[in-house]
Amino acid sequence: MQVKILDTTLRDGEQTPGVSLTPEEKLRIALRLDDLGVDIIEAGSAITSEGEREALKKIVKEGLNAEICSFARALQVDIDEALKCDVDSIHLVVPTSELHIKDKLQKPPGEVKEKAIDSIEYAKDHGLIVEFSAEDATRSNMQFLKEILEESISAGADRICACDTVGILTPERAYEFYGELSKLKAPLSVHCHNDFGLAVANSLMGLRAGASEVHATINGIGERAGNAALEEIVVALYSLYDVKTNINTKMLYETSKMVARLTGVYIQPNKAIVGENAFAHESGIHVDGILKKAETYEPITPELVGRKRRFVMGKHIGSSALKEKLEEFDFKVDEKQFKQIFERVKNLGDMGKCVTDVDLQAIAEDVLGIVEDKMVNLEEVTVVSGNKLTPTASVKLRINEKEILEAGVGVGPVDAAIVAIKKSLEDFADIKLEEYHVDAITGGTDALIDVIIKLRYKDKIISARSTQPDIIMASVEAFISGVNRLLANEKKKKT
Protein backbone atom coordinates (compact mmCIF):
# COMPACT_ATOMS: atom_id res chain seq x y z
CA MET A 1 0.00 0.00 0.00
CA GLN A 2 1.21 3.52 -0.84
CA VAL A 3 -0.52 6.58 0.59
CA LYS A 4 -0.86 9.81 -1.38
CA ILE A 5 -0.31 13.12 0.43
CA LEU A 6 -2.39 16.21 -0.30
CA ASP A 7 -0.66 19.10 1.42
CA THR A 8 -2.99 21.98 2.29
CA THR A 9 -0.48 24.19 4.13
CA LEU A 10 -1.03 26.93 1.54
CA ARG A 11 -4.83 26.82 1.83
CA ASP A 12 -6.16 25.34 5.09
CA GLY A 13 -2.85 26.06 6.81
CA GLU A 14 -2.90 29.70 5.74
CA GLN A 15 -6.30 30.00 7.43
CA THR A 16 -4.42 29.92 10.74
CA PRO A 17 -5.37 33.16 12.55
CA GLY A 18 -2.73 35.81 11.87
CA VAL A 19 -1.14 34.06 8.88
CA SER A 20 -1.11 35.71 5.45
CA LEU A 21 1.47 34.69 2.86
CA THR A 22 2.60 36.75 -0.12
CA PRO A 23 2.65 35.14 -3.60
CA GLU A 24 6.46 34.90 -3.38
CA GLU A 25 6.29 33.17 0.02
CA LYS A 26 3.68 30.74 -1.28
CA LEU A 27 5.91 29.94 -4.24
CA ARG A 28 8.90 29.27 -1.96
CA ILE A 29 6.86 26.88 0.17
CA ALA A 30 5.37 25.15 -2.89
CA LEU A 31 8.84 24.57 -4.34
CA ARG A 32 9.95 23.02 -1.04
CA LEU A 33 6.81 20.86 -0.83
CA ASP A 34 7.49 19.58 -4.34
CA ASP A 35 11.08 18.73 -3.40
CA LEU A 36 9.72 17.04 -0.28
CA GLY A 37 7.68 14.69 -2.46
CA VAL A 38 4.11 15.85 -1.82
CA ASP A 39 1.71 14.34 -4.38
CA ILE A 40 -0.87 17.15 -4.46
CA ILE A 41 -0.37 20.77 -3.37
CA GLU A 42 -3.58 22.61 -2.53
CA ALA A 43 -1.98 25.97 -3.26
CA GLY A 44 -4.89 28.24 -2.38
CA SER A 45 -8.35 29.30 -3.44
CA ALA A 46 -8.46 31.15 -6.77
CA ILE A 47 -11.68 33.01 -5.93
CA THR A 48 -10.18 34.58 -2.80
CA SER A 49 -8.15 37.50 -4.17
CA GLU A 50 -5.91 38.78 -6.96
CA GLY A 51 -2.86 37.94 -4.82
CA GLU A 52 -4.10 34.38 -4.42
CA ARG A 53 -4.51 34.02 -8.17
CA GLU A 54 -1.03 35.47 -8.72
CA ALA A 55 0.40 32.87 -6.32
CA LEU A 56 -1.41 30.00 -8.07
CA LYS A 57 -0.18 31.15 -11.47
CA LYS A 58 3.43 31.47 -10.23
CA ILE A 59 3.32 27.96 -8.79
CA VAL A 60 1.75 26.43 -11.91
CA LYS A 61 4.40 28.06 -14.16
CA GLU A 62 7.15 26.18 -12.30
CA GLY A 63 6.04 22.89 -13.86
CA LEU A 64 6.28 20.99 -10.59
CA ASN A 65 5.95 17.22 -10.25
CA ALA A 66 3.09 17.66 -7.77
CA GLU A 67 -0.50 18.11 -8.91
CA ILE A 68 -1.46 21.76 -8.29
CA CYS A 69 -4.94 22.18 -6.85
CA SER A 70 -7.25 25.10 -6.07
CA PHE A 71 -10.01 25.04 -3.47
CA ALA A 72 -13.45 25.78 -4.92
CA ARG A 73 -17.04 25.99 -3.79
CA ALA A 74 -19.86 24.54 -5.89
CA LEU A 75 -20.08 27.76 -7.86
CA GLN A 76 -19.21 28.28 -11.53
CA VAL A 77 -17.35 31.51 -10.72
CA ASP A 78 -14.99 29.62 -8.37
CA ILE A 79 -14.25 27.02 -11.02
CA ASP A 80 -13.75 29.66 -13.71
CA GLU A 81 -11.18 31.50 -11.59
CA ALA A 82 -9.34 28.22 -10.98
CA LEU A 83 -9.34 27.54 -14.73
CA LYS A 84 -7.80 30.98 -15.39
CA CYS A 85 -4.91 29.97 -13.12
CA ASP A 86 -4.35 26.82 -15.20
CA VAL A 87 -4.36 24.50 -12.16
CA ASP A 88 -4.45 20.72 -12.58
CA SER A 89 -7.35 20.11 -10.21
CA ILE A 90 -9.92 21.59 -7.90
CA HIS A 91 -10.81 20.57 -4.37
CA LEU A 92 -14.57 21.03 -4.62
CA VAL A 93 -16.04 21.36 -1.13
CA VAL A 94 -19.77 21.09 -0.39
CA PRO A 95 -21.39 21.06 3.11
CA THR A 96 -23.34 17.86 3.82
CA SER A 97 -24.46 18.13 7.45
CA GLU A 98 -27.98 19.33 8.30
CA LEU A 99 -26.38 22.01 10.49
CA HIS A 100 -24.46 23.49 7.56
CA ILE A 101 -27.14 23.01 4.91
CA LYS A 102 -30.01 24.36 6.99
CA ASP A 103 -28.33 27.09 9.05
CA LYS A 104 -25.40 28.19 6.83
CA LEU A 105 -26.58 27.65 3.25
CA GLN A 106 -30.30 27.86 4.09
CA LYS A 107 -31.16 25.71 1.08
CA PRO A 108 -32.95 22.36 0.64
CA PRO A 109 -30.61 19.31 0.66
CA GLY A 110 -31.74 18.38 -2.86
CA GLU A 111 -30.68 21.76 -4.24
CA VAL A 112 -27.24 21.46 -2.55
CA LYS A 113 -26.76 18.02 -4.09
CA GLU A 114 -27.86 19.21 -7.54
CA LYS A 115 -25.49 22.19 -7.40
CA ALA A 116 -22.60 19.89 -6.41
CA ILE A 117 -23.24 17.51 -9.32
CA ASP A 118 -23.56 20.38 -11.82
CA SER A 119 -20.24 21.82 -10.58
CA ILE A 120 -18.43 18.48 -10.91
CA GLU A 121 -19.71 18.02 -14.46
CA TYR A 122 -18.73 21.60 -15.39
CA ALA A 123 -15.21 21.14 -14.01
CA LYS A 124 -14.74 17.78 -15.74
CA ASP A 125 -16.01 19.24 -19.03
CA HIS A 126 -13.25 21.84 -18.74
CA GLY A 127 -10.49 19.27 -18.19
CA LEU A 128 -9.99 19.53 -14.43
CA ILE A 129 -9.26 16.70 -12.04
CA VAL A 130 -11.91 16.88 -9.30
CA GLU A 131 -11.51 15.89 -5.68
CA PHE A 132 -14.98 16.18 -4.15
CA SER A 133 -15.13 16.84 -0.41
CA ALA A 134 -18.08 16.58 1.92
CA GLU A 135 -17.66 19.36 4.50
CA ASP A 136 -18.69 18.48 8.07
CA ALA A 137 -19.12 14.90 6.87
CA THR A 138 -18.69 13.44 10.36
CA ARG A 139 -21.86 15.23 11.55
CA SER A 140 -23.84 14.32 8.43
CA ASN A 141 -26.60 11.79 8.00
CA MET A 142 -24.75 8.72 6.67
CA GLN A 143 -27.45 7.89 4.11
CA PHE A 144 -27.39 11.42 2.63
CA LEU A 145 -23.56 11.50 2.77
CA LYS A 146 -23.26 8.25 0.83
CA GLU A 147 -25.87 9.40 -1.70
CA ILE A 148 -24.05 12.65 -2.53
CA LEU A 149 -20.68 10.89 -2.69
CA GLU A 150 -22.04 8.14 -4.96
CA GLU A 151 -23.66 10.71 -7.26
CA SER A 152 -20.42 12.73 -7.33
CA ILE A 153 -18.57 9.61 -8.50
CA SER A 154 -21.18 9.04 -11.22
CA ALA A 155 -20.79 12.70 -12.28
CA GLY A 156 -17.05 12.14 -12.79
CA ALA A 157 -15.34 13.00 -9.51
CA ASP A 158 -11.86 11.45 -9.55
CA ARG A 159 -11.50 11.28 -5.76
CA ILE A 160 -13.85 11.69 -2.83
CA CYS A 161 -13.09 13.05 0.63
CA ALA A 162 -14.99 13.15 3.91
CA CYS A 163 -13.94 16.01 6.20
CA ASP A 164 -13.93 15.88 9.99
CA THR A 165 -14.36 19.66 9.90
CA VAL A 166 -14.57 20.26 13.66
CA GLY A 167 -12.38 17.35 14.77
CA ILE A 168 -15.01 15.31 16.61
CA LEU A 169 -13.94 11.84 15.47
CA THR A 170 -12.28 9.38 17.81
CA PRO A 171 -9.87 6.78 16.39
CA GLU A 172 -12.45 4.02 16.88
CA ARG A 173 -15.18 5.96 15.11
CA ALA A 174 -12.76 7.12 12.40
CA TYR A 175 -12.05 3.48 11.54
CA GLU A 176 -15.76 2.69 11.25
CA PHE A 177 -16.64 5.93 9.43
CA TYR A 178 -13.96 5.78 6.75
CA GLY A 179 -14.31 2.01 6.52
CA GLU A 180 -17.94 2.45 5.48
CA LEU A 181 -17.06 5.12 2.87
CA SER A 182 -14.16 3.09 1.48
CA LYS A 183 -16.74 0.68 0.06
CA LEU A 184 -17.69 3.35 -2.50
CA LYS A 185 -16.05 2.93 -5.90
CA ALA A 186 -13.57 5.83 -5.84
CA PRO A 187 -10.28 6.69 -4.13
CA LEU A 188 -11.08 8.02 -0.65
CA SER A 189 -9.27 10.83 1.19
CA VAL A 190 -9.08 11.60 4.91
CA HIS A 191 -9.26 15.21 6.12
CA CYS A 192 -9.08 15.68 9.90
CA HIS A 193 -8.91 18.67 12.21
CA ASN A 194 -7.22 18.71 15.59
CA ASP A 195 -9.77 20.25 17.97
CA PHE A 196 -9.37 17.34 20.41
CA GLY A 197 -5.74 16.58 19.57
CA LEU A 198 -6.75 13.49 17.59
CA ALA A 199 -6.21 14.60 13.97
CA VAL A 200 -3.16 12.42 13.36
CA ALA A 201 -4.64 9.38 15.12
CA ASN A 202 -7.91 9.75 13.24
CA SER A 203 -6.08 10.16 9.92
CA LEU A 204 -4.09 6.97 10.53
CA MET A 205 -7.27 5.08 11.38
CA GLY A 206 -8.96 6.39 8.23
CA LEU A 207 -6.04 5.12 6.16
CA ARG A 208 -6.13 1.75 7.91
CA ALA A 209 -9.84 1.54 7.16
CA GLY A 210 -9.27 1.84 3.41
CA ALA A 211 -8.60 5.47 2.49
CA SER A 212 -5.65 5.93 0.13
CA GLU A 213 -4.98 9.67 0.50
CA VAL A 214 -4.58 11.98 3.48
CA HIS A 215 -4.85 15.77 3.74
CA ALA A 216 -2.32 17.39 6.05
CA THR A 217 -0.34 20.55 6.74
CA ILE A 218 3.29 21.15 7.72
CA ASN A 219 3.51 21.50 11.52
CA GLY A 220 -0.25 20.83 11.73
CA ILE A 221 -1.10 24.52 11.21
CA GLY A 222 -4.65 25.50 10.37
CA GLU A 223 -7.82 27.02 11.76
CA ARG A 224 -8.49 26.78 15.50
CA ALA A 225 -6.35 23.86 16.80
CA GLY A 226 -5.04 23.12 13.30
CA ASN A 227 -4.99 20.18 10.90
CA ALA A 228 -3.30 16.81 10.95
CA ALA A 229 0.49 17.29 10.93
CA LEU A 230 2.08 15.97 7.75
CA GLU A 231 5.41 15.11 9.38
CA GLU A 232 3.75 13.08 12.16
CA ILE A 233 1.53 11.13 9.75
CA VAL A 234 4.37 10.33 7.34
CA VAL A 235 6.81 9.17 10.02
CA ALA A 236 4.13 7.15 11.82
CA LEU A 237 3.18 5.44 8.56
CA TYR A 238 6.82 4.67 7.81
CA SER A 239 7.92 3.56 11.28
CA LEU A 240 4.81 2.05 12.85
CA TYR A 241 2.77 0.74 9.91
CA ASP A 242 5.45 0.04 7.27
CA VAL A 243 3.40 2.08 4.79
CA LYS A 244 5.16 4.04 2.06
CA THR A 245 4.66 7.60 0.84
CA ASN A 246 6.63 9.63 -1.69
CA ILE A 247 7.90 11.95 1.06
CA ASN A 248 11.65 12.39 1.51
CA THR A 249 11.65 12.19 5.31
CA LYS A 250 15.14 13.69 5.58
CA MET A 251 13.68 17.01 4.42
CA LEU A 252 10.92 17.15 7.05
CA TYR A 253 12.82 19.19 9.63
CA GLU A 254 14.12 21.85 7.24
CA THR A 255 10.67 22.12 5.65
CA SER A 256 9.08 22.53 9.08
CA LYS A 257 11.52 25.29 9.99
CA MET A 258 10.92 27.09 6.71
CA VAL A 259 7.13 27.05 7.11
CA ALA A 260 7.40 28.19 10.73
CA ARG A 261 9.66 31.06 9.69
CA LEU A 262 7.48 32.26 6.80
CA THR A 263 4.15 31.89 8.63
CA GLY A 264 5.39 33.12 12.00
CA VAL A 265 3.64 30.18 13.70
CA TYR A 266 5.82 29.01 16.60
CA ILE A 267 6.59 25.28 16.98
CA GLN A 268 6.38 24.14 20.61
CA PRO A 269 9.69 22.60 21.75
CA ASN A 270 8.15 19.24 22.64
CA LYS A 271 6.31 18.78 19.33
CA ALA A 272 6.77 15.32 17.85
CA ILE A 273 9.31 14.88 15.03
CA VAL A 274 10.19 18.57 14.45
CA GLY A 275 10.15 20.15 17.93
CA GLU A 276 13.57 21.25 19.19
CA ASN A 277 13.38 18.82 22.11
CA ALA A 278 12.28 15.82 20.03
CA PHE A 279 15.84 14.43 20.01
CA ALA A 280 17.29 16.28 23.01
CA HIS A 281 18.29 14.31 26.11
CA GLU A 282 19.27 15.47 29.58
CA SER A 283 18.35 12.69 32.00
CA GLY A 284 21.45 10.72 32.99
CA ILE A 285 19.67 7.38 32.69
CA HIS A 286 18.39 8.23 29.20
CA VAL A 287 21.71 9.56 27.94
CA ASP A 288 23.56 6.52 29.26
CA GLY A 289 21.13 4.28 27.38
CA ILE A 290 21.36 6.37 24.21
CA LEU A 291 25.15 6.21 24.21
CA LYS A 292 25.05 2.43 24.59
CA LYS A 293 22.26 1.85 22.06
CA ALA A 294 20.19 4.69 20.61
CA GLU A 295 17.01 2.59 20.41
CA THR A 296 16.77 2.46 24.21
CA TYR A 297 15.20 5.93 24.30
CA GLU A 298 14.66 6.88 20.65
CA PRO A 299 11.91 5.19 18.62
CA ILE A 300 13.37 6.62 15.39
CA THR A 301 16.80 7.93 14.48
CA PRO A 302 17.06 11.74 14.26
CA GLU A 303 18.76 11.37 10.88
CA LEU A 304 15.56 9.86 9.44
CA VAL A 305 13.88 13.28 9.58
CA GLY A 306 16.95 15.43 8.97
CA ARG A 307 17.77 16.01 12.64
CA LYS A 308 20.74 15.54 14.96
CA ARG A 309 20.76 14.18 18.48
CA ARG A 310 21.47 16.73 21.20
CA PHE A 311 22.59 16.18 24.80
CA VAL A 312 21.51 18.94 27.17
CA MET A 313 23.54 19.67 30.26
CA GLY A 314 21.69 20.47 33.47
CA LYS A 315 20.88 19.05 36.88
CA HIS A 316 19.65 15.76 35.36
CA ILE A 317 22.85 15.10 33.46
CA GLY A 318 24.55 11.76 34.02
CA SER A 319 28.22 10.91 34.05
CA SER A 320 28.08 9.20 30.64
CA ALA A 321 26.83 12.31 28.87
CA LEU A 322 29.34 14.54 30.63
CA LYS A 323 32.22 12.24 29.73
CA GLU A 324 31.05 12.24 26.12
CA LYS A 325 31.01 16.07 26.10
CA LEU A 326 34.44 16.36 27.68
CA GLU A 327 35.89 13.94 25.11
CA GLU A 328 34.26 15.96 22.33
CA PHE A 329 36.18 19.01 23.58
CA ASP A 330 39.45 17.04 23.94
CA PHE A 331 39.60 17.44 27.73
CA LYS A 332 41.57 14.69 29.50
CA VAL A 333 40.49 14.47 33.15
CA ASP A 334 41.19 12.10 36.00
CA GLU A 335 38.51 10.83 38.38
CA LYS A 336 38.96 13.65 40.89
CA GLN A 337 38.80 16.35 38.21
CA PHE A 338 35.77 14.75 36.61
CA LYS A 339 33.95 14.73 39.95
CA GLN A 340 34.64 18.44 40.42
CA ILE A 341 33.35 19.28 36.94
CA PHE A 342 30.30 17.06 37.44
CA GLU A 343 29.37 18.75 40.72
CA ARG A 344 29.77 22.24 39.28
CA VAL A 345 27.53 21.41 36.31
CA LYS A 346 24.90 19.99 38.69
CA ASN A 347 25.11 23.11 40.87
CA LEU A 348 24.51 25.37 37.88
CA GLY A 349 21.52 23.20 36.94
CA ASP A 350 20.11 23.54 40.46
CA MET A 351 20.31 27.31 40.02
CA GLY A 352 18.01 26.98 37.00
CA LYS A 353 20.74 27.54 34.40
CA CYS A 354 21.01 25.66 31.12
CA VAL A 355 24.69 24.72 31.01
CA THR A 356 26.06 25.62 27.58
CA ASP A 357 29.09 24.17 25.83
CA VAL A 358 30.91 27.40 26.60
CA ASP A 359 30.02 27.07 30.30
CA LEU A 360 31.34 23.51 30.35
CA GLN A 361 34.57 24.51 28.65
CA ALA A 362 35.08 27.32 31.17
CA ILE A 363 34.43 24.96 34.09
CA ALA A 364 36.75 22.28 32.70
CA GLU A 365 39.51 24.78 31.97
CA ASP A 366 39.22 26.19 35.47
CA VAL A 367 39.38 22.73 37.10
CA LEU A 368 42.29 21.69 34.88
CA GLY A 369 44.09 25.00 35.38
CA ILE A 370 44.42 25.74 31.68
CA VAL A 371 42.62 29.07 31.55
CA GLU A 372 45.78 30.60 30.14
CA ASP A 373 45.02 28.87 26.81
CA LYS A 374 42.17 31.33 26.35
CA MET A 375 43.92 33.82 24.08
CA VAL A 376 40.86 35.91 23.17
CA ASN A 377 38.64 37.49 25.82
CA LEU A 378 35.57 39.63 25.21
CA GLU A 379 35.70 42.84 27.20
CA GLU A 380 32.77 44.70 25.67
CA VAL A 381 30.29 44.61 22.79
CA THR A 382 27.89 47.35 21.72
CA VAL A 383 25.38 47.04 18.88
CA VAL A 384 23.27 49.79 17.32
CA SER A 385 20.43 48.84 14.98
CA GLY A 386 17.11 50.31 13.96
CA ASN A 387 14.55 50.87 11.23
CA LYS A 388 16.63 53.43 9.30
CA LEU A 389 20.04 52.64 10.77
CA THR A 390 22.73 50.43 9.29
CA PRO A 391 23.43 47.75 11.94
CA THR A 392 26.75 48.69 13.52
CA ALA A 393 28.74 46.95 16.25
CA SER A 394 31.84 47.84 18.24
CA VAL A 395 33.78 45.23 20.20
CA LYS A 396 36.63 45.42 22.65
CA LEU A 397 38.73 42.28 22.82
CA ARG A 398 41.79 41.39 24.88
CA ILE A 399 44.05 39.23 22.74
CA ASN A 400 47.23 38.00 24.39
CA GLU A 401 46.89 40.86 26.90
CA LYS A 402 46.63 43.40 24.09
CA GLU A 403 43.42 45.46 24.06
CA ILE A 404 41.85 45.86 20.61
CA LEU A 405 38.85 48.00 19.74
CA GLU A 406 37.13 47.49 16.38
CA ALA A 407 33.83 48.31 14.69
CA GLY A 408 31.89 46.66 11.91
CA VAL A 409 28.66 46.95 9.93
CA GLY A 410 26.47 44.13 8.67
CA VAL A 411 23.09 43.16 7.30
CA GLY A 412 21.88 42.70 10.86
CA PRO A 413 23.14 43.19 14.43
CA VAL A 414 24.61 39.66 14.70
CA ASP A 415 26.41 40.01 11.38
CA ALA A 416 27.78 43.41 12.44
CA ALA A 417 29.13 41.97 15.70
CA ILE A 418 30.82 39.04 13.93
CA VAL A 419 32.33 41.38 11.33
CA ALA A 420 33.80 43.53 14.13
CA ILE A 421 35.30 40.48 15.86
CA LYS A 422 36.81 39.16 12.61
CA LYS A 423 38.42 42.57 11.99
CA SER A 424 39.88 42.45 15.51
CA LEU A 425 41.46 39.08 14.75
CA GLU A 426 42.93 39.96 11.35
CA ASP A 427 46.47 40.41 12.68
CA PHE A 428 46.34 37.17 14.68
CA ALA A 429 44.52 34.57 12.61
CA ASP A 430 42.44 34.31 9.43
CA ILE A 431 39.41 32.59 10.90
CA LYS A 432 36.47 31.90 8.59
CA LEU A 433 32.84 31.32 9.54
CA GLU A 434 31.74 28.19 7.67
CA GLU A 435 28.28 27.68 9.09
CA TYR A 436 25.81 29.47 11.38
CA HIS A 437 22.67 27.90 12.84
CA VAL A 438 20.23 29.29 15.40
CA ASP A 439 17.22 27.80 17.20
CA ALA A 440 14.87 29.01 19.92
CA ILE A 441 14.73 26.13 22.39
CA THR A 442 12.12 27.62 24.71
CA GLY A 443 9.11 29.84 24.12
CA GLY A 444 8.32 33.45 24.89
CA THR A 445 10.14 36.72 24.35
CA ASP A 446 12.83 35.59 26.82
CA ALA A 447 13.40 32.32 24.92
CA LEU A 448 16.80 30.66 25.20
CA ILE A 449 18.57 30.97 21.85
CA ASP A 450 20.85 28.10 20.84
CA VAL A 451 23.58 29.22 18.41
CA ILE A 452 25.78 26.62 16.70
CA ILE A 453 28.63 27.70 14.44
CA LYS A 454 31.43 26.08 12.47
CA LEU A 455 34.75 27.89 12.15
CA ARG A 456 37.77 27.14 9.97
CA TYR A 457 41.40 27.99 10.62
CA LYS A 458 43.86 26.59 8.07
CA ASP A 459 42.85 22.91 7.69
CA LYS A 460 41.03 22.64 11.02
CA ILE A 461 37.24 22.99 11.37
CA ILE A 462 35.54 23.03 14.76
CA SER A 463 32.00 23.53 16.05
CA ALA A 464 31.14 25.86 18.91
CA ARG A 465 27.88 26.54 20.67
CA SER A 466 26.29 28.99 23.09
CA THR A 467 22.82 29.19 24.60
CA GLN A 468 21.55 32.50 25.96
CA PRO A 469 18.38 34.62 25.91
CA ASP A 470 20.25 37.23 23.81
CA ILE A 471 20.95 36.11 20.24
CA ILE A 472 23.76 38.64 19.79
CA MET A 473 25.61 37.56 22.94
CA ALA A 474 25.01 33.88 22.15
CA SER A 475 26.49 34.38 18.66
CA VAL A 476 29.46 36.39 19.93
CA GLU A 477 30.16 33.92 22.75
CA ALA A 478 30.00 30.93 20.40
CA PHE A 479 32.31 32.64 17.90
CA ILE A 480 34.93 33.60 20.49
CA SER A 481 34.75 30.16 22.09
CA GLY A 482 35.42 28.58 18.70
CA VAL A 483 38.30 30.96 18.03
CA ASN A 484 39.94 30.07 21.36
CA ARG A 485 39.65 26.37 20.66
CA LEU A 486 41.18 26.77 17.18
CA LEU A 487 44.05 28.88 18.49
CA ALA A 488 44.65 26.48 21.39
CA ASN A 489 44.79 23.59 18.92
CA GLU A 490 47.30 25.48 16.77
CA LYS A 491 49.42 26.20 19.84
CA LYS A 492 49.48 22.48 20.73
CA LYS A 493 50.73 21.66 17.22
CA LYS A 494 53.71 23.96 17.65
CA THR A 495 54.75 22.60 21.06
Side-chain angles (χ1 to χ4, degrees), residues 360-374:
L360 178 61
Q361 290 173 67
I363 291 167
E365 288 171 351
D366 188 40
V367 168
L368 294 171
I370 55 172
V371 180
E372 64 272 14
D373 282 340
K374 196 172 180 182

Side-chain angles (χ1 to χ4, degrees), residues 136-345:
D136 204 26
T138 53
R139 292 191 295 186
S140 301
N141 174 278
M142 181 55 84
Q143 184 179 342
F144 177 74
L145 177 63
K146 289 172 78 171
E147 281 176 11
I148 195 169
L149 290 174
E150 285 172 338
E151 290 187 34
S152 74
I153 296 166
S154 298
D158 299 274
R159 305 184 293 263
I160 56 172
C161 176
C163 302
D164 187 22
T165 302
V166 291
I168 60 165
L169 282 179
T170 62
E172 298 86 358
R173 187 167 168 239
Y175 188 80
E176 295 172 3
F177 177 77
Y178 286 106
E180 185 67 20
L181 297 180
S182 69
K183 297 172 185 175
L184 303 176
K185 295 177 181 179
L188 174 65
S189 302
V190 180
H191 182 112
C192 295
H193 283 259
N194 203 40
D195 295 78
F196 289 89
L198 296 170
V200 170
N202 290 335
S203 297
L204 293 171
M205 286 300 99
L207 292 168
R208 279 203 72 198
S212 57
E213 178 184 305
V214 62
H215 294 194
T217 61
I218 301 296
N219 300 333
I221 63 172
E223 292 185 84
R224 303 183 312 280
N227 290 47
L230 181 148
E231 61 281 353
E232 295 177 24
I233 290 172
V234 167
V235 176
L237 286 172
Y238 175 86
S239 299
L240 305 179
Y241 293 95
D242 195 27
V243 171
K244 295 178 181 177
T245 65
N246 287 322
I247 299 298
N248 177 359
T249 59
K250 291 183 180 179
M251 289 182 63
L252 285 172
Y253 179 61
E254 61 183 72
T255 304
S256 164
K257 297 291 287 183
M258 177 188 186
V259 169
R261 186 170 64 253
L262 292 178
T263 60
V265 179
Y266 164 72
I267 304 169
Q268 70 267 31
N270 63 328
K271 187 185 182 306
I273 313 301
V274 293
E276 289 310 312
N277 291 348
F279 298 97
H281 307 273
E282 182 184 338
S283 165
I285 296 170
H286 285 211
V287 172
D288 183 57
I290 289 286
L291 290 172
K292 290 172 179 172
K293 194 168 182 63
E295 291 90 332
T296 52
Y297 290 103
E298 285 180 347
I300 58 173
T301 64
E303 291 77 15
L304 174 68
V305 294
R307 303 291 305 274
K308 288 185 179 179
R309 185 176 299 114
R310 186 161 58 90
F311 294 137
V312 180
M313 291 177 288
K315 66 180 179 180
H316 300 110
I317 194 170
S319 58
S320 297
L322 187 57
K323 284 175 181 174
E324 180 86 1
K325 274 289 182 184
L326 291 170
E327 286 175 11
E328 183 185 322
F329 297 142
D330 295 324
F331 286 119
K332 309 298 181 187
V333 297
D334 59 30
E335 191 174 332
K336 183 179 178 182
Q337 290 165 334
F338 177 79
K339 188 176 179 182
Q340 285 179 273
I341 296 168
F342 189 67
E343 286 175 355
R344 286 175 64 171
V345 169

